[in-house]
Every structure is written in structure tokens, then in C-alpha cells.
Amino acid sequence: MALVPCQVLHAAILLSYCSILCNYKAIDMPAHQTYGGSWKFLTFIDLVIQAVFFGICVLTDLSSLLTRGNDSQEQERQLKKLISLRDWMMAVLAFPVGVFVVTMFWSIYIYDRELVYPKLLDNFIPAWLNHGMHTTVLPFVLIEMRTTHHQYPSRSCGLAAVCTFAVGYILWVCWIHHVTGVWVYPLLEHLSPGVKIIFFAAVTIVINVFYLVGEVLNNYIWDTQKCIEEGKEKPKVE
């Protein structure tokens, strides 16, 4: 019975991300026409990650329903591969990148919005879409963690994958600056070369910390759930 609400939830979140992406891409902003297009922004990359992740969740739910009561070993193997991919994406991309985007964006926005989201963007991006890109990501990923158990990879492999993503994006941002002479984020214009290196290192560390937070939170939620279920199964001693 618990599976049906999860299926509906996954489908609803996937549809919301598709709507956000479609509305965002429909906006005629000058930044979308420059080198790198939307792909130079971590927010957009994160939206794609979340949409792909929840798409895999929906596919896994459907495959699970179709293979239920079926003795086909091949279908079982395919389902296990889907579940492994879903869990890997949650651990390495969906949770750490999603939480990083939300916390980093709003932290800088509160300090000085011009450094990350200039007021000029209000003319192009409505408030609801801004929250869809920078706010709802966090509750969605937390709900997913609470409703579905995810098997995390080994810590060394997980951290290596997160570092690869972080360094890859930093190099992409630097390459865009090399080609265009303009930094993707106004904040970087105000930092000296030495401070930029420290900033990029700190960003990499923070996103790795979020990976560890996700791992600890996942284990805590599901270890606690397991203890509760085991407690219910124990016969009462009179």
C-alpha cells in the first residue's frame, strides 16, 4: 500500500520539474544567447539532474509493478540495475548538488542579491519560477529520502564522484571566462585570483560535506525505521 503514494509523488515531482524547465527555457534572456547558454548555470544543471533522477524513480516504480509476481530473472536483473542507478544518482548528484544550490543561492542572495541574482532578472523570471529553481528542490529531495531507502556507494567512491562533478563544473566556469572574458556569476568578478582558488576549494569541500550529510541522514532515517518495525514485530511479554 505504501508504494502507491510514492509512485504518485515521484510522478508529481517529475511533472513539476518538467514544467519548471519548460517555463525557464521559454524565457528570452540575453544570458541564454551567450556562450554556454543555460548550461553554464549550476541551477539549470541541477534542474536537469533532478528531472532525470525523478524520471528514473518513475521508471523504477513502473518496472517494480510490472515485475511483481513475475519470475523472469532477466526482468529482475534490469530492475536491480535501475534501482542501483537511482540510488547512485540520489547519493552523488540529486542530494548534494540540490542542497548545495539551495543553501548557496539563498545565503548569497540574503547577503547581496546582486552577487548571484541581480534585480534585473526579476524582469524575466517570475517569483514562482525562482522558487521552483532555488527553493522547492530541498523539500522534494528530503521527501524522497524519507519515503524511499537508498543504498549509498562506498564513501570513497561517492566522494570521488562528487569531487569529479564539482571540479568539472569549476573548470567549465573557468573555460567560459577564458572564452568570453566574463564570469558566469557576478560574485567572481569581485574576487582576486588567490581568493578565487580558495573559494573554489571551499565550494568543493562544502558539496562533499553535503554528500556526507545525505549519507548520515539516509542511514539515520532507515536505521530508525528498521528499529521501529522490529519493535512492532516482537511479541509482547506478559
Side-chain angles (χ1 to χ4, degrees):
M1 293 294 291
L3 182 61
V4 175
C6 288
Q7 290 176 332
V8 174
L9 192 64
H10 290 154
I13 293 175
L14 173 60
L15 288 174
S16 73
Y17 277 123
C18 289
S19 175
I20 291 168
L21 281 168
C22 288
N23 279 277
Y24 178 73
K25 291 298 291 182
I27 296 173
D28 185 20
M29 282 200 307
H32 290 175
Q33 313 304 322
T34 57
Y35 185 81
S38 302
W39 292 98
K40 59 178 169 283
F41 301 114
L42 186 58
T43 292
F44 179 77
I45 294 173
D46 178 51
L47 288 175
V48 173
I49 288 172
Q50 302 298 331
V52 170
F53 169 69
F54 281 101
I56 293 172
C57 288
V58 170
L59 188 57
T60 302
D61 292 338
L62 291 174
S63 298
S64 179
L65 286 175
L66 291 174
T67 56
R68 184 176 296 174
N70 194 325
D71 295 331
S72 173
Q73 293 185 348
E74 179 59 28
Q75 288 184 346
E76 286 291 337
R77 280 196 295 268
Q78 295 302 322
L79 178 58
K80 287 180 180 178
K81 288 180 181 179
L82 269 178
I83 292 173
S84 296
L85 177 60
R86 179 202 67 188
D87 292 350
W88 185 88
M89 278 204 69
M90 176 64 173
V92 172
L93 294 174
F95 186 87
V97 177
V99 175
F100 177 83
V101 166
V102 174
T103 55
M104 183 63 73
F105 174 83
W106 287 111
S107 296
I108 299 175
Y109 185 97
I110 291 170
Y111 174 73
D112 184 357
R113 67 170 295 177
E114 294 299 319
L115 296 176
V116 66
Y117 192 82
K119 195 170 181 60
L120 175 66
L121 292 178
D122 291 342
N123 298 323
F124 300 95
I125 302 176
W128 72 266
L129 186 56
N130 179 28
H131 284 291
M133 297 188 297
H134 297 116
T135 306
T136 58
V137 174
L138 182 58
F140 283 167
V141 81
L142 289 176
I143 290 170
E144 168 62 17
M145 181 166 282
R146 178 63 185 85
T147 57
T148 306
H149 177 258
H150 297 277
Q151 184 67 43
Y152 267 60
S154 66
R155 183 166 293 181
S156 58
C157 290
L159 290 174
V162 172
C163 281
T164 300
F165 175 85
V167 172
Y169 180 70
I170 289 169
L171 292 176
W172 171 230
V173 168
C174 292
W175 174 255
I176 291 172
H177 177 261
H178 172 74
V179 172
T180 65
V182 178
W183 288 104
V184 174
Y185 302 103
L187 168 67
L188 297 173
E189 300 282 359
H190 301 278
L191 304 180
S192 65
V195 176
K196 281 189 182 75
I197 293 173
I198 296 173
F199 177 77
F200 288 144
V203 162
T204 304
I205 292 171
V206 169
I207 200 168
N208 275 273
V209 169
F210 285 139
Y211 170 85
L212 296 174
V213 169
E215 182 184 52
V216 171
L217 187 59
N218 180 73
N219 291 337
Y220 172 77
I221 290 171
W222 291 99
D223 286 348
T224 302
Q225 184 70 20
K226 184 178 178 182
C227 290
I228 292 172
E229 291 175 355
E230 288 177 349
K232 289 180 179 179
E233 290 174 0
K234 288 181 180 179
K236 292 182 179 180
V237 179
E238 295 182 359

